[in-house]
Amino acid sequence: MTCSPPWQRLCDCRCIIHHQLPRTTYHEPDCACTITCATQPLTLLAAPWGHALFLDQHGDLWHVPALTNGTWDWAYAATIDTHADHHHATRTIEDLLRRAVHVLTPPPTTP
């Protein structure tokens, strides 16, 4: 399995904004990318908080609120506020997701 960063992948979920394009922003109007799109970074479903958490291309932790029927409110996706109620927990989650990305990233190939 080849692991490449999500921002280097092309959208495969038929989003009218990103289809067959890379995605480096997450809160564009009319974006239909979901957590299953090839462009979506490593994601953690935080059901008790009603959000999904993910790292952006810079390794910063973002959240996206859940809507009904398993959809996501991308218009309100944003980085985690340092004054958020769960800030301490999100710092731990951010660190663990960064470690997971490190473990999943293949070592550079030598020519």
Side-chain angles (χ1 to χ4, degrees), residues 11-80:
C11 171
D12 66 355
C13 72
R14 304 199 185 282
C15 169
I16 60 171
I17 303 296
H18 299 110
H19 185 63
Q20 294 300 308
L21 297 172
R23 181 173 68 141
T24 56
T25 58
Y26 305 99
H27 46 54
E28 292 173 299
D30 299 323
C31 175
C33 293
T34 65
I35 60 169
T36 58
C37 180
T39 63
Q40 182 61 35
L42 184 62
T43 303
L44 173 69
L45 299 179
W49 298 346
H51 287 81
L53 305 174
F54 62 93
L55 298 177
D56 70 2
Q57 66 268 27
H58 304 294
D60 296 324
L61 188 66
W62 280 59
H63 68 95
V64 59
L67 294 173
T68 58
N69 301 324
T71 58
W72 304 95
D73 196 353
W74 289 107
Y76 292 97
T79 57
I80 298 290

